[in-house]
Amino acid sequence: MPPVEIWLADEYRIPLPSLETSVGLEPRRVQLAAWTLLEGGAVKPEQVRRPVPIDFADVLRVHETQYVESLQRPDVLARIFGVEPTEVPVEPLLQMVRLATGGTLQAARSSIARRGHALNLCGGFHHAAPARGAGFCALNDIAIAIAALRAEGFGGRVAVLDFDAHPPDGTAECLAGDSLTWIGSISGTHWQELPRVDEVVLPRGAGDGQYLLVLRALLRRMPAPDLAFVIAGADVLESDRLGNLGLSLRGARARDRLVARALRGVPAVWLPGGGYHPDAWRVLTGTALVL
């Protein structure tokens, strides 16, 4: 397979400092991972790509116009990101979201063309639905990428493998009409039944052994895809502030290895998803090293 592409922008950080203390969000996760990979020589500068902000025409393939327009309001963004409206710098926050979403689409196009894997260092906004955002997710980058690719003529089977510690409620809603997309999920939280999602909810504190056993079974059930999106969430770690699972760093790395092997030869876009733990950046770094 060709070398993995890494999609990175200086703006890949949530400009809301209070989230570091309120939920344990490491604002430097992307920068720490990128520095480690580049300084250590695991990733070469020529592998790094800069994303272009997503076009609004592509956003509107998935999200309702009224909702997209409402994202210019601080109170709407404050509700999505769990902060006070006075804390919200609208333009920098939306620029981050648009760049990350653009990165996911551009990484998908490149992965299909190269028949390789790509890692977008920001993305996996799986709680955003057509008419609402939630859980730090304002736009659903995976659904937007799939819709844009469909509009461009891509008719292949897609697998969305969601290994964030929380279920892909927004992605399921966004992709409800796409019969060629299969969604598989392993999480530690059950909010509602998700139609057309192969969902496994593990008990609180489930560790490496139980998780990897369930993962192997899920990968065996996955239909052979022509393109895959993988959310390699860091909130699966034990003691994560918002996740309910109990994986170690070694377990998260083993997860990524199993998934990478299952997707050998399949174009795939990997995304970091959530992470509310001091070692979240190490999970992201580990994903890149596996790829």
Side-chain angles (χ1 to χ4, degrees):
M1 291 181 66
V4 64
E5 289 185 334
I6 306 291
W7 294 78
L8 170 66
D10 291 339
E11 296 88 344
Y12 273 9
R13 67 171 73 206
I14 297 178
L16 298 168
S18 65
L19 292 181
E20 185 170 8
T21 53
S22 65
V23 298
L25 184 71
E26 170 53 75
R28 299 163 294 274
R29 174 166 67 156
V30 171
Q31 288 69 33
L32 287 168
W35 182 86
T36 302
L37 293 165
L38 288 163
E39 288 297 312
V43 171
K44 307 300 182 186
E46 56 266 27
Q47 293 173 249
V48 178
R49 307 283 182 269
R50 176 174 171 81
V52 175
I54 193 70
D55 190 278
F56 282 110
D58 288 321
V59 172
L60 294 175
R61 299 184 194 280
V62 170
H63 294 286
E64 295 181 7
T65 302
Q66 185 174 359
Y67 167 66
V68 174
E69 291 175 347
S70 77
L71 292 177
Q72 295 290 336
R73 291 166 40 196
D75 63 304
V76 172
L77 291 172
R79 177 180 53 78
I80 293 170
F81 287 91
V83 297
E84 294 296 324
T86 53
E87 294 182 58
V88 176
V90 173
E91 290 307 318
L93 187 54
L94 288 180
Q95 179 72 352
M96 181 275 292
V97 173
R98 289 188 62 206
L99 278 168
T101 304
T104 298
L105 172 56
Q106 291 140 34
R109 288 172 176 152
S110 180
S111 294
I112 292 170
R114 300 166 64 249
R115 298 206 59 79
H117 287 201
L119 172 60
N120 185 12
L121 291 175
C122 186
F125 306 139
H126 62 167
H127 296 312
R132 69 181 186 281
F136 317 119
C137 304
L139 298 177
N140 196 303
D141 56 320
I142 292 176
I144 290 169
I146 293 172
L149 292 171
R150 298 292 191 213
E152 293 166 9
F154 178 75
R157 291 192 172 276
V158 178
V160 178
L161 290 160
D162 192 318
F163 303 126
D164 188 276
H166 304 96
D169 52 339
T171 303
E173 188 172 339
C174 289
L175 297 174
D178 189 333
S179 62
L180 291 176
T181 295
W182 173 88
I183 305 173
S185 167
I186 301 175
S187 72
T189 307
H190 181 71
W191 292 331
Q192 64 192 76
E193 295 300 322
L194 298 179
R196 296 187 58 246
V197 176
D198 189 335
E199 182 183 16
V200 180
V201 180
L202 292 174
R204 179 179 291 273
D208 297 351
Q210 186 175 7
Y211 189 100
L212 296 175
L213 186 67
V214 166
L215 173 60
R216 290 184 179 95
L218 180 69
L219 292 173
R220 288 194 294 270
R221 296 195 301 271
M222 175 181 66
D226 301 299
L227 172 67
F229 293 86
V230 182
I231 302 182
D235 51 2
V236 297
L237 292 181
E238 185 179 12
S239 302
D240 184 273
R241 293 275 290 275
L242 298 182
N244 293 325
L245 298 173
L247 271 67
S248 66
L249 281 170
R250 181 174 293 183
R253 186 81 60 92
R255 172 200 67 184
D256 293 348
R257 279 197 296 267
L258 284 172
V259 177
R261 288 182 190 135
L263 295 175
R264 194 182 302 273
V266 176
V269 178
W270 293 65
L271 303 156
Y276 314 95
H277 187 286
D279 283 336
W281 71 273
R282 298 184 189 275
V283 177
L284 179 54
T285 303
T287 300
L289 292 173
V290 166
L291 297 178

Tab-separated table of all heavy atoms in Angstrom, residues 187-248:
chain	number	residue	atom	x	y	z
A	187	SER	N	-19.353	0.842	21.425
A	187	SER	CA	-19.320	1.976	22.347
A	187	SER	C	-19.587	1.496	23.758
A	187	SER	O	-19.820	0.308	23.999
A	187	SER	CB	-20.359	3.043	21.942
A	187	SER	OG	-21.675	2.581	22.214
A	188	GLY	N	-19.563	2.427	24.691
A	188	GLY	CA	-19.859	2.108	26.074
A	188	GLY	C	-21.088	2.838	26.582
A	188	GLY	O	-21.311	2.920	27.789
A	189	THR	N	-21.882	3.360	25.650
A	189	THR	CA	-23.047	4.170	26.020
A	189	THR	C	-24.227	3.807	25.132
A	189	THR	O	-24.078	3.691	23.915
A	189	THR	CB	-22.752	5.674	25.848
A	189	THR	OG1	-21.557	5.995	26.560
A	189	THR	CG2	-23.900	6.524	26.365
A	190	HIS	N	-25.390	3.635	25.725
A	190	HIS	CA	-26.603	3.366	24.948
A	190	HIS	C	-27.600	4.497	25.187
A	190	HIS	O	-28.072	4.695	26.309
A	190	HIS	CB	-27.232	2.035	25.347
A	190	HIS	CG	-28.459	1.705	24.562
A	190	HIS	ND1	-28.418	1.355	23.225
A	190	HIS	CD2	-29.766	1.688	24.906
A	190	HIS	CE1	-29.638	1.127	22.794
A	190	HIS	NE2	-30.472	1.320	23.792
A	191	TRP	N	-27.895	5.259	24.131
A	191	TRP	CA	-28.857	6.348	24.242
A	191	TRP	C	-30.207	5.986	23.636
A	191	TRP	O	-31.247	6.349	24.142
A	191	TRP	CB	-28.312	7.604	23.522
A	191	TRP	CG	-27.132	8.201	24.210
A	191	TRP	CD1	-26.844	8.170	25.542
A	191	TRP	CD2	-26.065	8.931	23.592
A	191	TRP	NE1	-25.674	8.833	25.802
A	191	TRP	CE2	-25.163	9.312	24.629
A	191	TRP	CE3	-25.777	9.294	22.285
A	191	TRP	CZ2	-24.009	10.052	24.380
A	191	TRP	CZ3	-24.624	10.025	22.035
A	191	TRP	CH2	-23.755	10.392	23.067
A	192	GLN	N	-30.185	5.283	22.513
A	192	GLN	CA	-31.398	4.971	21.774
A	192	GLN	C	-31.082	3.878	20.765
A	192	GLN	O	-29.921	3.598	20.492
A	192	GLN	CB	-31.891	6.220	21.015
A	192	GLN	CG	-30.897	6.678	19.934
A	192	GLN	CD	-31.198	8.048	19.378
A	192	GLN	OE1	-30.923	9.044	20.028
A	192	GLN	NE2	-31.755	8.096	18.190
A	193	GLU	N	-32.129	3.250	20.245
A	193	GLU	CA	-31.922	2.276	19.183
A	193	GLU	C	-31.542	3.017	17.899
A	193	GLU	O	-32.146	4.039	17.554
A	193	GLU	CB	-33.198	1.462	18.945
A	193	GLU	CG	-33.594	0.586	20.126
A	193	GLU	CD	-32.531	-0.433	20.481
A	193	GLU	OE1	-31.892	-0.978	19.553
A	193	GLU	OE2	-32.344	-0.685	21.686
A	194	LEU	N	-30.529	2.508	17.220
A	194	LEU	CA	-30.074	3.132	15.978
A	194	LEU	C	-30.366	2.188	14.817
A	194	LEU	O	-29.631	1.211	14.611
A	194	LEU	CB	-28.571	3.438	16.057
A	194	LEU	CG	-28.141	4.417	17.154
A	194	LEU	CD1	-26.631	4.603	17.137
A	194	LEU	CD2	-28.847	5.755	16.990
A	195	PRO	N	-31.430	2.445	14.062
A	195	PRO	CA	-31.757	1.579	12.929
A	195	PRO	C	-30.603	1.503	11.936
A	195	PRO	O	-29.899	2.482	11.694
A	195	PRO	CB	-32.986	2.267	12.304
A	195	PRO	CG	-33.560	3.105	13.394
A	195	PRO	CD	-32.385	3.547	14.218
A	196	ARG	N	-30.372	0.339	11.400
A	196	ARG	CA	-29.365	0.088	10.371
A	196	ARG	C	-27.935	0.274	10.884
A	196	ARG	O	-27.019	0.440	10.095
A	196	ARG	CB	-29.594	0.959	9.134
A	196	ARG	CG	-30.897	0.684	8.391
A	196	ARG	CD	-30.972	1.464	7.092
A	196	ARG	NE	-29.853	1.132	6.222
A	196	ARG	CZ	-28.893	1.990	5.877
A	196	ARG	NH1	-28.907	3.231	6.333
A	196	ARG	NH2	-27.904	1.623	5.084
A	197	VAL	N	-27.745	0.220	12.185
A	197	VAL	CA	-26.391	0.261	12.742
A	197	VAL	C	-26.122	-1.073	13.423
A	197	VAL	O	-26.915	-1.537	14.248
A	197	VAL	CB	-26.224	1.409	13.752
A	197	VAL	CG1	-24.833	1.354	14.387
A	197	VAL	CG2	-26.441	2.750	13.072
A	198	ASP	N	-25.022	-1.725	13.065
A	198	ASP	CA	-24.573	-2.931	13.753
A	198	ASP	C	-23.850	-2.456	15.009
A	198	ASP	O	-22.655	-2.178	14.997
A	198	ASP	CB	-23.645	-3.740	12.836
A	198	ASP	CG	-23.306	-5.112	13.400
A	198	ASP	OD1	-23.364	-5.277	14.638
A	198	ASP	OD2	-22.988	-6.015	12.611
A	199	GLU	N	-24.594	-2.335	16.089
A	199	GLU	CA	-24.114	-1.653	17.284
A	199	GLU	C	-23.881	-2.632	18.426
A	199	GLU	O	-24.754	-3.450	18.741
A	199	GLU	CB	-25.126	-0.589	17.726
A	199	GLU	CG	-24.695	0.213	18.935
A	199	GLU	CD	-25.755	1.204	19.381
A	199	GLU	OE1	-26.923	1.082	18.969
A	199	GLU	OE2	-25.401	2.102	20.164
A	200	VAL	N	-22.715	-2.538	19.035
A	200	VAL	CA	-22.407	-3.302	20.240
A	200	VAL	C	-22.145	-2.306	21.360
A	200	VAL	O	-21.290	-1.421	21.231
A	200	VAL	CB	-21.166	-4.195	20.046
A	200	VAL	CG1	-20.874	-4.974	21.327
A	200	VAL	CG2	-21.355	-5.146	18.875
A	201	VAL	N	-22.875	-2.421	22.460
A	201	VAL	CA	-22.677	-1.568	23.625
A	201	VAL	C	-22.064	-2.418	24.728
A	201	VAL	O	-22.674	-3.387	25.190
A	201	VAL	CB	-23.995	-0.934	24.099
A	201	VAL	CG1	-23.745	-0.041	25.316
A	201	VAL	CG2	-24.643	-0.130	22.972
A	202	LEU	N	-20.863	-2.076	25.134
A	202	LEU	CA	-20.150	-2.826	26.160
A	202	LEU	C	-20.460	-2.279	27.554
A	202	LEU	O	-20.812	-1.105	27.704
A	202	LEU	CB	-18.646	-2.743	25.904
A	202	LEU	CG	-18.153	-3.479	24.650
A	202	LEU	CD1	-16.672	-3.204	24.427
A	202	LEU	CD2	-18.403	-4.971	24.762
A	203	PRO	N	-20.327	-3.095	28.577
A	203	PRO	CA	-20.575	-2.614	29.936
A	203	PRO	C	-19.511	-1.628	30.383
A	203	PRO	O	-18.388	-1.614	29.872
A	203	PRO	CB	-20.535	-3.898	30.781
A	203	PRO	CG	-19.711	-4.854	29.980
A	203	PRO	CD	-20.001	-4.524	28.542
A	204	ARG	N	-19.858	-0.817	31.351
A	204	ARG	CA	-18.930	0.186	31.879
A	204	ARG	C	-17.621	-0.480	32.314
A	204	ARG	O	-17.626	-1.512	32.987
A	204	ARG	CB	-19.566	0.915	33.057
A	204	ARG	CG	-18.663	1.964	33.708
A	204	ARG	CD	-19.377	2.660	34.843
A	204	ARG	NE	-20.455	3.496	34.351
A	204	ARG	CZ	-20.312	4.766	33.961
A	204	ARG	NH1	-19.109	5.330	33.995
A	204	ARG	NH2	-21.347	5.458	33.540
A	205	GLY	N	-16.508	0.121	31.894
A	205	GLY	CA	-15.205	-0.365	32.301
A	205	GLY	C	-14.674	-1.535	31.500
A	205	GLY	O	-13.619	-2.085	31.847
A	206	ALA	N	-15.376	-1.937	30.433
A	206	ALA	CA	-14.909	-3.069	29.628
A	206	ALA	C	-13.478	-2.818	29.162
A	206	ALA	O	-13.163	-1.751	28.638
A	206	ALA	CB	-15.833	-3.281	28.433
A	207	GLY	N	-12.619	-3.822	29.342
A	207	GLY	CA	-11.205	-3.654	29.054
A	207	GLY	C	-10.769	-4.233	27.730
A	207	GLY	O	-11.587	-4.597	26.873
A	208	ASP	N	-9.459	-4.354	27.584
A	208	ASP	CA	-8.875	-4.741	26.295
A	208	ASP	C	-9.402	-6.072	25.784
A	208	ASP	O	-9.798	-6.188	24.616
A	208	ASP	CB	-7.349	-4.828	26.420
A	208	ASP	CG	-6.696	-3.499	26.757
A	208	ASP	OD1	-7.387	-2.467	26.722
A	208	ASP	OD2	-5.480	-3.511	27.059
A	209	GLY	N	-9.384	-7.100	26.632
A	209	GLY	CA	-9.756	-8.427	26.175
A	209	GLY	C	-11.173	-8.497	25.652
A	209	GLY	O	-11.418	-9.032	24.554
A	210	GLN	N	-12.125	-7.969	26.400
A	210	GLN	CA	-13.523	-8.002	25.989
A	210	GLN	C	-13.742	-7.165	24.735
A	210	GLN	O	-14.448	-7.571	23.808
A	210	GLN	CB	-14.412	-7.492	27.133
A	210	GLN	CG	-15.906	-7.617	26.864
A	210	GLN	CD	-16.743	-7.223	28.068
A	210	GLN	OE1	-16.213	-6.732	29.072
A	210	GLN	NE2	-18.052	-7.429	27.987
A	211	TYR	N	-13.097	-6.005	24.692
A	211	TYR	CA	-13.265	-5.118	23.543
A	211	TYR	C	-12.742	-5.784	22.272
A	211	TYR	O	-13.421	-5.780	21.237
A	211	TYR	CB	-12.529	-3.802	23.800
A	211	TYR	CG	-12.825	-2.725	22.772
A	211	TYR	CD1	-13.730	-1.707	23.045
A	211	TYR	CD2	-12.197	-2.721	21.527
A	211	TYR	CE1	-14.009	-0.721	22.106
A	211	TYR	CE2	-12.465	-1.745	20.588
A	211	TYR	CZ	-13.369	-0.748	20.885
A	211	TYR	OH	-13.653	0.221	19.940
A	212	LEU	N	-11.556	-6.340	22.325
A	212	LEU	CA	-10.943	-6.903	21.120
A	212	LEU	C	-11.691	-8.143	20.641
A	212	LEU	O	-11.765	-8.410	19.434
A	212	LEU	CB	-9.470	-7.214	21.385
A	212	LEU	CG	-8.606	-5.985	21.697
A	212	LEU	CD1	-7.192	-6.409	22.069
A	212	LEU	CD2	-8.584	-4.998	20.527
A	213	LEU	N	-12.272	-8.897	21.568
A	213	LEU	CA	-13.086	-10.042	21.186
A	213	LEU	C	-14.307	-9.593	20.387
A	213	LEU	O	-14.625	-10.156	19.329
A	213	LEU	CB	-13.522	-10.795	22.443
A	213	LEU	CG	-14.280	-12.113	22.226
A	213	LEU	CD1	-13.367	-13.160	21.607
A	213	LEU	CD2	-14.837	-12.617	23.562
A	214	VAL	N	-14.974	-8.574	20.883
A	214	VAL	CA	-16.155	-8.035	20.190
A	214	VAL	C	-15.751	-7.417	18.855
A	214	VAL	O	-16.460	-7.538	17.853
A	214	VAL	CB	-16.853	-7.004	21.109
A	214	VAL	CG1	-17.861	-6.174	20.333
A	214	VAL	CG2	-17.520	-7.710	22.277
A	215	LEU	N	-14.598	-6.753	18.826
A	215	LEU	CA	-14.134	-6.114	17.593
A	215	LEU	C	-13.899	-7.156	16.500
A	215	LEU	O	-14.296	-6.946	15.342
A	215	LEU	CB	-12.854	-5.334	17.863
A	215	LEU	CG	-12.144	-4.752	16.644
A	215	LEU	CD1	-13.046	-3.783	15.887
A	215	LEU	CD2	-10.842	-4.059	17.063
A	216	ARG	N	-13.244	-8.259	16.843
A	216	ARG	CA	-12.999	-9.294	15.832
A	216	ARG	C	-14.308	-9.791	15.232
A	216	ARG	O	-14.406	-10.002	14.014
A	216	ARG	CB	-12.214	-10.457	16.449
A	216	ARG	CG	-10.766	-10.107	16.793
A	216	ARG	CD	-10.024	-11.341	17.298
A	216	ARG	NE	-8.635	-11.024	17.610
A	216	ARG	CZ	-8.196	-10.707	18.811
A	216	ARG	NH1	-9.047	-10.664	19.850
A	216	ARG	NH2	-6.912	-10.430	19.004
A	217	ALA	N	-15.315	-9.966	16.073
A	217	ALA	CA	-16.612	-10.431	15.581
A	217	ALA	C	-17.269	-9.391	14.671
A	217	ALA	O	-17.850	-9.737	13.631
A	217	ALA	CB	-17.524	-10.760	16.757
A	218	LEU	N	-17.182	-8.118	15.048
A	218	LEU	CA	-17.769	-7.056	14.229
A	218	LEU	C	-17.089	-6.990	12.864
A	218	LEU	O	-17.749	-6.837	11.827
A	218	LEU	CB	-17.652	-5.709	14.944
A	218	LEU	CG	-18.232	-4.499	14.190
A	218	LEU	CD1	-19.750	-4.591	14.116
A	218	LEU	CD2	-17.816	-3.193	14.841
A	219	LEU	N	-15.761	-7.105	12.856
A	219	LEU	CA	-15.037	-7.043	11.582
A	219	LEU	C	-15.395	-8.220	10.680
A	219	LEU	O	-15.421	-8.081	9.451
A	219	LEU	CB	-13.531	-7.003	11.843
A	219	LEU	CG	-13.016	-5.719	12.518
A	219	LEU	CD1	-11.542	-5.855	12.873
A	219	LEU	CD2	-13.246	-4.504	11.630
A	220	ARG	N	-15.705	-9.379	11.282
A	220	ARG	CA	-16.147	-10.515	10.466
A	220	ARG	C	-17.517	-10.259	9.859
A	220	ARG	O	-17.825	-10.772	8.765
A	220	ARG	CB	-16.165	-11.790	11.305
A	220	ARG	CG	-14.783	-12.332	11.651
A	220	ARG	CD	-14.873	-13.761	12.172
A	220	ARG	NE	-15.567	-13.849	13.448
A	220	ARG	CZ	-14.968	-13.763	14.638
A	220	ARG	NH1	-13.644	-13.591	14.701
A	220	ARG	NH2	-15.661	-13.864	15.755
A	221	ARG	N	-18.351	-9.472	10.537
A	221	ARG	CA	-19.699	-9.173	10.013
A	221	ARG	C	-19.700	-8.057	8.983
A	221	ARG	O	-20.692	-7.870	8.275
A	221	ARG	CB	-20.634	-8.785	11.168
A	221	ARG	CG	-20.888	-9.896	12.177
A	221	ARG	CD	-22.068	-9.583	13.068
A	221	ARG	NE	-21.949	-8.363	13.840
A	221	ARG	CZ	-21.396	-8.295	15.054
A	221	ARG	NH1	-20.877	-9.384	15.612
A	221	ARG	NH2	-21.369	-7.151	15.723
A	222	MET	N	-18.629	-7.278	8.917
A	222	MET	CA	-18.579	-6.129	8.009
A	222	MET	C	-18.649	-6.586	6.553
A	222	MET	O	-17.849	-7.417	6.116
A	222	MET	CB	-17.286	-5.342	8.244
A	222	MET	CG	-17.064	-4.191	7.278
A	222	MET	SD	-15.499	-3.304	7.590
A	222	MET	CE	-14.289	-4.591	7.180
A	223	PRO	N	-19.586	-6.055	5.760
A	223	PRO	CA	-19.590	-6.362	4.331
A	223	PRO	C	-18.332	-5.805	3.669
A	223	PRO	O	-17.801	-4.774	4.100
A	223	PRO	CB	-20.845	-5.639	3.811
A	223	PRO	CG	-21.650	-5.302	5.020
A	223	PRO	CD	-20.682	-5.154	6.150
A	224	ALA	N	-17.836	-6.470	2.651
A	224	ALA	CA	-16.620	-6.014	1.969
A	224	ALA	C	-16.859	-4.625	1.380
A	224	ALA	O	-17.703	-4.449	0.508
A	224	ALA	CB	-16.245	-6.993	0.875
A	225	PRO	N	-16.104	-3.606	1.848
A	225	PRO	CA	-16.349	-2.243	1.375
A	225	PRO	C	-15.422	-1.843	0.233
A	225	PRO	O	-14.347	-2.423	0.039
A	225	PRO	CB	-16.053	-1.404	2.606
A	225	PRO	CG	-14.939	-2.154	3.294
A	225	PRO	CD	-15.161	-3.617	2.992
A	226	ASP	N	-15.845	-0.824	-0.502
A	226	ASP	CA	-14.993	-0.185	-1.503
A	226	ASP	C	-14.317	1.061	-0.935
A	226	ASP	O	-13.388	1.599	-1.529
A	226	ASP	CB	-15.827	0.195	-2.728
A	226	ASP	CG	-16.490	-1.015	-3.361
A	226	ASP	OD1	-15.762	-1.920	-3.804
A	226	ASP	OD2	-17.742	-1.079	-3.378
A	227	LEU	N	-14.824	1.521	0.212
A	227	LEU	CA	-14.275	2.682	0.915
A	227	LEU	C	-14.674	2.560	2.370
A	227	LEU	O	-15.788	2.114	2.673
A	227	LEU	CB	-14.816	3.990	0.332
A	227	LEU	CG	-14.495	5.293	1.073
A	227	LEU	CD1	-12.997	5.604	1.019
A	227	LEU	CD2	-15.301	6.461	0.497
A	228	ALA	N	-13.781	2.937	3.265
A	228	ALA	CA	-14.104	2.878	4.691
A	228	ALA	C	-13.742	4.185	5.382
A	228	ALA	O	-12.799	4.886	4.983
A	228	ALA	CB	-13.360	1.722	5.363
A	229	PHE	N	-14.504	4.494	6.411
A	229	PHE	CA	-14.191	5.583	7.339
A	229	PHE	C	-14.068	4.947	8.723
A	229	PHE	O	-14.938	4.171	9.131
A	229	PHE	CB	-15.289	6.645	7.353
A	229	PHE	CG	-15.415	7.411	6.071
A	229	PHE	CD1	-16.199	6.923	5.035
A	229	PHE	CD2	-14.755	8.620	5.893
A	229	PHE	CE1	-16.321	7.625	3.842
A	229	PHE	CE2	-14.872	9.331	4.713
A	229	PHE	CZ	-15.652	8.823	3.681
A	230	VAL	N	-13.009	5.284	9.435
A	230	VAL	CA	-12.752	4.704	10.753
A	230	VAL	C	-12.606	5.828	11.766
A	230	VAL	O	-11.735	6.691	11.618
A	230	VAL	CB	-11.467	3.855	10.757
A	230	VAL	CG1	-11.260	3.220	12.139
A	230	VAL	CG2	-11.502	2.787	9.668
A	231	ILE	N	-13.452	5.825	12.786
A	231	ILE	CA	-13.255	6.739	13.911
A	231	ILE	C	-12.509	5.972	14.987
A	231	ILE	O	-13.067	5.093	15.648
A	231	ILE	CB	-14.582	7.286	14.457
A	231	ILE	CG1	-15.367	8.025	13.374
A	231	ILE	CG2	-14.308	8.223	15.635
A	231	ILE	CD1	-16.673	8.636	13.859
A	232	ALA	N	-11.229	6.278	15.143
A	232	ALA	CA	-10.382	5.605	16.118
A	232	ALA	C	-10.380	6.418	17.411
A	232	ALA	O	-9.383	7.046	17.779
A	232	ALA	CB	-8.965	5.429	15.560
A	233	GLY	N	-11.490	6.424	18.092
A	233	GLY	CA	-11.674	7.298	19.249
A	233	GLY	C	-10.672	7.056	20.359
A	233	GLY	O	-10.304	5.914	20.658
A	234	ALA	N	-10.235	8.163	20.980
A	234	ALA	CA	-9.339	8.067	22.129
A	234	ALA	C	-10.101	8.054	23.445
A	234	ALA	O	-9.511	7.822	24.502
A	234	ALA	CB	-8.350	9.235	22.117
A	235	ASP	N	-11.406	8.271	23.406
A	235	ASP	CA	-12.193	8.268	24.639
A	235	ASP	C	-12.520	6.866	25.117
A	235	ASP	O	-13.296	6.683	26.056
A	235	ASP	CB	-13.467	9.107	24.484
A	235	ASP	CG	-14.286	8.754	23.263
A	235	ASP	OD1	-13.903	7.832	22.522
A	235	ASP	OD2	-15.323	9.418	23.030
A	236	VAL	N	-11.915	5.858	24.492
A	236	VAL	CA	-12.072	4.475	24.967
A	236	VAL	C	-11.144	4.176	26.144
A	236	VAL	O	-11.253	3.122	26.770
A	236	VAL	CB	-11.790	3.469	23.829
A	236	VAL	CG1	-12.809	3.633	22.708
A	236	VAL	CG2	-10.363	3.616	23.285
A	237	LEU	N	-10.207	5.078	26.446
A	237	LEU	CA	-9.219	4.812	27.487
A	237	LEU	C	-9.845	4.784	28.882
A	237	LEU	O	-10.800	5.509	29.175
A	237	LEU	CB	-8.126	5.884	27.475
A	237	LEU	CG	-7.191	5.929	26.267
A	237	LEU	CD1	-6.175	7.049	26.452
A	237	LEU	CD2	-6.496	4.594	26.040
A	238	GLU	N	-9.275	3.943	29.728
A	238	GLU	CA	-9.680	3.922	31.124
A	238	GLU	C	-9.468	5.302	31.742
A	238	GLU	O	-8.473	5.967	31.476
A	238	GLU	CB	-8.852	2.889	31.885
A	238	GLU	CG	-9.256	2.701	33.326
A	238	GLU	CD	-8.430	1.644	34.028
A	238	GLU	OE1	-7.394	1.224	33.465
A	238	GLU	OE2	-8.814	1.245	35.148
A	239	SER	N	-10.429	5.754	32.513
A	239	SER	CA	-10.402	7.048	33.199
A	239	SER	C	-10.654	8.231	32.283
A	239	SER	O	-10.495	9.379	32.702
A	239	SER	CB	-9.073	7.263	33.955
A	239	SER	OG	-8.867	6.233	34.888
A	240	ASP	N	-11.043	7.984	31.031
A	240	ASP	CA	-11.465	9.108	30.195
A	240	ASP	C	-12.640	9.810	30.881
A	240	ASP	O	-13.516	9.158	31.457
A	240	ASP	CB	-11.874	8.596	28.809
A	240	ASP	CG	-12.224	9.715	27.854
A	240	ASP	OD1	-13.401	10.152	27.843
A	240	ASP	OD2	-11.322	10.164	27.112
A	241	ARG	N	-12.666	11.132	30.782
A	241	ARG	CA	-13.665	11.898	31.532
A	241	ARG	C	-15.088	11.658	31.037
A	241	ARG	O	-16.043	11.770	31.820
A	241	ARG	CB	-13.335	13.393	31.436
A	241	ARG	CG	-12.047	13.798	32.146
A	241	ARG	CD	-12.269	14.076	33.619
A	241	ARG	NE	-13.019	15.293	33.829
A	241	ARG	CZ	-12.479	16.517	33.879
A	241	ARG	NH1	-11.165	16.663	33.725
A	241	ARG	NH2	-13.222	17.573	34.100
A	242	LEU	N	-15.260	11.355	29.748
A	242	LEU	CA	-16.605	11.200	29.200
A	242	LEU	C	-16.887	9.797	28.671
A	242	LEU	O	-18.044	9.450	28.434
A	242	LEU	CB	-16.852	12.222	28.087
A	242	LEU	CG	-16.791	13.693	28.491
A	242	LEU	CD1	-17.113	14.587	27.301
A	242	LEU	CD2	-17.751	13.990	29.643
A	243	GLY	N	-15.865	9.009	28.442
A	243	GLY	CA	-16.067	7.645	27.971
A	243	GLY	C	-16.304	6.692	29.129
A	243	GLY	O	-15.912	6.959	30.271
A	244	ASN	N	-16.961	5.565	28.860
A	244	ASN	CA	-17.282	4.607	29.918
A	244	ASN	C	-16.488	3.307	29.791
A	244	ASN	O	-16.776	2.347	30.511
A	244	ASN	CB	-18.779	4.263	29.884
A	244	ASN	CG	-19.652	5.445	30.247
A	244	ASN	OD1	-19.289	6.250	31.088
A	244	ASN	ND2	-20.797	5.557	29.601
A	245	LEU	N	-15.533	3.265	28.880
A	245	LEU	CA	-14.795	2.036	28.645
A	245	LEU	C	-13.495	2.023	29.455
A	245	LEU	O	-13.185	2.984	30.156
A	245	LEU	CB	-14.533	1.865	27.152
A	245	LEU	CG	-15.808	1.751	26.300
A	245	LEU	CD1	-15.482	1.751	24.819
A	245	LEU	CD2	-16.587	0.494	26.672
A	246	GLY	N	-12.722	0.929	29.332
A	246	GLY	CA	-11.542	0.791	30.160
A	246	GLY	C	-10.328	0.281	29.420
A	246	GLY	O	-9.554	-0.506	29.968
A	247	LEU	N	-10.114	0.728	28.182
A	247	LEU	CA	-8.976	0.251	27.405
A	247	LEU	C	-7.675	0.892	27.876
A	247	LEU	O	-7.663	2.010	28.397
A	247	LEU	CB	-9.171	0.539	25.917
A	247	LEU	CG	-9.893	-0.548	25.098
A	247	LEU	CD1	-11.346	-0.656	25.529
A	247	LEU	CD2	-9.806	-0.261	23.611
A	248	SER	N	-6.585	0.175	27.659
A	248	SER	CA	-5.251	0.718	27.860
A	248	SER	C	-4.750	1.284	26.538
A	248	SER	O	-5.357	1.072	25.475
A	248	SER	CB	-4.302	-0.388	28.326
A	248	SER	OG	-4.125	-1.356	27.293
